[in-house]
Amino acid sequence: MRAPGLARTSRSRSKTGTARYHRGVLYDYTAATVESVASETDAALAKADSLLAAAAAAAPSFESTLLPLELAGAAVAVGYGRGAFLAQVHTDSAVRDAGQEAEERISKWRVGVPFREDIYRAVRAFAETDEAAALDGERPRLLDFWLRDFRRAGQELDPEQRAELESLRNRLVELEVAFQRNVNEYQDQIDVTREQLAGLPDDYVDRLSPGSRDGTYRVSLDYPELNPFLEQARDRTLREQLFRKHWSRSVDKNRPLLAEALRLRQRIAELLGHPTWAHYGMELKMASDPQRVADFYAELTPAIAAATEGEVATLASAMNADGPDGQLEVWDWRYYDDQARRALGIDQSKVSEYLPLEAVMDGLFEITGEVLGLSYRQVADTRAWHDSVRLYEILSADGELIASFYADLFPREGKFGHAAAYQLVVGHRRTDGEYEKPVSAIVANFTPPSGDRPSLLTHREVETLFHEFGHILHMSLTRAEFARFSGAETEWDFVEAPSQIMQHWIWNASVLRRFARHYRTGEPMPPELASQLVGARMLNVGIRTATQAFYGALDLGLHAGDASPDLDDVLRSTYAVTRMPYPEGTFMLSGFAHVMGGYDAGYYGYMWSEVIGDDMFGRFAAEGVLSPSVGADYRREILEPNGSRSADDMVRAFLGREPSNEAFLRLRGMLPRE
């Protein structure tokens, strides 16, 4: 690495230009239609099916049997990026509908490949050859993974059971896609007067749409409206109303979909010889077994519970002194947490004035450029699905193009409602020997510009941006030979670690002040404000950590026991870790898209990977928070291999030891006193 020039190179990203390979490779999303979504999906699946047919018919060899399977997966990924992805972001509901149909088709195709007996026979025949025994590099891992897929698809079952299994898996795809669509499109609100918005800043009020009654304002469930209201609105009754709406999204449509999905998952697990869906799912994960996850929580829960107990009592005292008499409720704690931060001199609306989106993006690029040896360039001709979407190139320090990514950062009706990163083109070695340059997208719902004010992010939104950019880096810096192991294709409970580690940089006062500048004056954030903000990082961290523990325990409660659990009982029992009363009359599972979007029996992975991310960041904390040498190790051992090595091996290689939860507990002040 050429450290002296890295920061200068990364700052140059503010220049714009036409991407050097944009017209040749990047897709023109402005031309997307219902018909194009269907035709792109048709073309991708046709190409993939042709490759599979060739693999099934050829004499067994790596080049003629396994490689076509790899290339088929890469082709389908391109089809997803040009079609199914638009279900999450397109402005036209008809195109989103077409994208949903495309997503179902692609998901069913992916599910169906291991069920094909002709492909199984071809791969099994190859596995028995001398060539297969002599494979090296990523190739033996690729073969092992395909053999595992075939076993999990029931190729060792009798034909009747195998047919049932495939039918169940296809139905499960339909349920998961419908569930997510219901969440995306759900709309609800409260209408409030200006007086009822007491406590909220003028710029927040200015962004609100008119309510259904004259003289009122609409506060929706979109996060840029929801979160500040729960944190700053003085009217406790209205906070409760909005919270209850949020925790009951799509309940009529999604509750039965979830219940059916749980039954199907359990039956799939039983067919394949697993006691529960959690046992089946964790076979592919770093944890490998539900007992390891149970032990993980058992080690952490006592310290989390002790911290949470004290924090809830403190906030309840503040609430009772403020007027309300009784228990602290879930719609109260964020408000009194915000009040506590204000008492420390932290006004989130003032903090946001130092976090305009442009400055934050500059800081994100400067930090990752310096640490990882990268530079960035914004592309003027985006040809994206919406005018607000930005397109960037990621370059090596010497200017070589590595990858591209889109940033779709503001709310829109019908758009995916949270924050996520999507792979649109997967990096892999092509048959011509060249490396396919990855393309990805951040999709988020940050505070939009309003009037004469640019997009001013909350510190939490900055944390989310850095988190999601960790996924983008993981997808973009891959050097895996095969698409099967590229980008986010690592163990699902490790995939968040490269994002969790990213959040640490915005909690370092000196790093924060490098990019936090007032949107009007350009002055850096005052040192005292930055220090106060960072110093309050772990304020009420017990409650926040307990909330994550609740989500993880809830997920396991759904998938590690009965096939048809009492959903309300599971919610109540797992919520107890927060030390707050359960909000009766709500059903947050109907909007908890994670359990129907790939994190089923895997939500624990957020905390699991957070523990690992904290542990890995410990190297930066010890050797230099922006150390290019540690960054080079991190890029080489974690970001580039992706799924081509086991997560356990990668973490040990980077840390030089077994991972530990000590850094996680120490950072939160939860280590037991000796």
Side-chain angles (χ1 to χ4, degrees), residues 14-86:
S14 59
K15 299 177 181 178
T16 59
T18 300
R20 281 168 286 177
Y21 73 117
H22 176 60
R23 297 184 187 280
V25 176
L26 293 191
Y27 189 62
D28 183 1
Y29 285 101
T30 63
T33 62
V34 171
E35 292 74 22
S36 74
V37 169
S39 64
E40 291 288 358
T41 306
D42 288 343
L45 293 179
K47 180 177 181 180
D49 285 337
S50 176
L51 287 163
L52 294 186
S61 71
F62 183 87
E63 297 294 329
S64 62
T65 306
L66 272 192
L67 187 57
L69 304 188
E70 155 70 13
L71 296 174
V76 169
V78 171
Y80 173 89
R82 295 179 175 185
F85 167 66
L86 293 174

Side-chain angles (χ1 to χ4, degrees), residues 81 171 180 590:
R171 175 57 181 161
Q180 180 64 70
S590 62

Side-chain angles (χ1 to χ4, degrees), residues 34-316:
V34 171
E35 292 74 22
S36 74
V37 169
S39 64
E40 291 288 358
T41 306
D42 288 343
L45 293 179
K47 180 177 181 180
D49 285 337
S50 176
L51 287 163
L52 294 186
S61 71
F62 183 87
E63 297 294 329
S64 62
T65 306
L66 272 192
L67 187 57
L69 304 188
E70 155 70 13
L71 296 174
V76 169
V78 171
Y80 173 89
R82 295 179 175 185
F85 167 66
L86 293 174
Q88 310 299 329
V89 297
H90 205 275
T91 57
D92 186 336
S93 62
V95 175
R96 294 198 301 271
D97 287 341
Q100 181 183 13
E101 293 174 7
E103 185 173 1
E104 282 194 25
R105 291 180 61 197
I106 287 172
S107 296
K108 287 180 177 179
W109 182 91
R110 287 170 171 161
V111 166
V113 173
F115 285 92
R116 287 186 52 167
E117 290 186 63
D118 57 343
I119 303 299
Y120 168 64
R121 288 194 300 269
V123 174
R124 173 55 66 187
F126 169 65
E128 295 171 357
T129 65
D130 291 340
E131 181 188 357
L135 292 175
D136 58 7
E138 293 179 24
R139 297 185 173 200
R141 185 173 174 86
L142 186 65
L143 176 59
D144 288 345
F145 274 43
W146 273 107
L147 292 174
R148 184 184 68 183
D149 288 348
F150 290 125
R151 173 177 54 78
R152 288 169 63 86
Q155 291 291 356
E156 298 172 5
L157 300 177
D158 63 51
E160 184 177 335
Q161 289 177 315
R162 192 162 61 248
E164 180 187 1
L165 183 62
E166 184 170 14
S167 175
L168 292 171
R169 293 294 297 268
N170 283 333
R171 175 57 181 161
L172 192 55
V173 167
E174 294 172 359
L175 295 172
E176 291 168 346
V177 170
F179 188 101
Q180 180 64 70
R181 181 61 181 274
N182 291 338
V183 173
N184 287 356
E185 297 198 339
Y186 186 78
Q187 298 286 321
D188 206 349
Q189 66 192 65
I190 60 173
D191 287 351
V192 298
T193 65
R194 184 63 183 88
E195 292 73 22
Q196 290 173 317
L197 288 166
L200 289 150
D202 289 340
D203 65 294
Y204 173 89
V205 178
D206 291 342
R207 293 196 303 271
L208 297 177
S209 301
S212 58
R213 304 187 314 274
D214 288 344
T216 63
Y217 297 83
R218 172 184 181 268
V219 181
S220 75
L221 303 184
D222 291 340
Y223 286 103
E225 296 179 16
L226 171 75
N227 287 333
F229 194 90
L230 293 176
E231 291 167 357
Q232 299 176 47
R234 293 175 191 159
D235 192 316
R236 188 189 191 205
T237 300
L238 291 175
R239 293 200 309 268
E240 178 181 356
Q241 287 180 17
L242 191 65
F243 174 86
R244 286 185 174 279
K245 286 177 178 289
H246 177 63
W247 262 39
S248 301
R249 289 172 294 167
S250 299
V251 62
D252 293 337
K253 292 182 178 179
N254 278 354
R255 180 166 184 147
L257 298 184
L258 174 61
E260 183 182 353
L262 294 177
R263 293 193 297 272
L264 298 187
R265 288 168 178 167
Q266 181 62 24
R267 178 56 182 159
I268 291 170
E270 291 170 354
L271 282 171
L272 294 170
H274 294 280
T276 70
W277 181 258
H279 287 83
Y280 168 77
M282 289 183 198
E283 182 184 17
L284 306 182
K285 295 182 172 72
M286 188 178 178
S288 74
D289 185 88
Q291 187 57 50
R292 190 178 175 191
V293 177
D295 293 344
F296 168 77
Y297 276 124
E299 290 179 4
L300 295 174
T301 299
I304 295 170
T308 305
E309 195 97 38
E311 292 169 4
V312 168
T314 298
L315 293 180

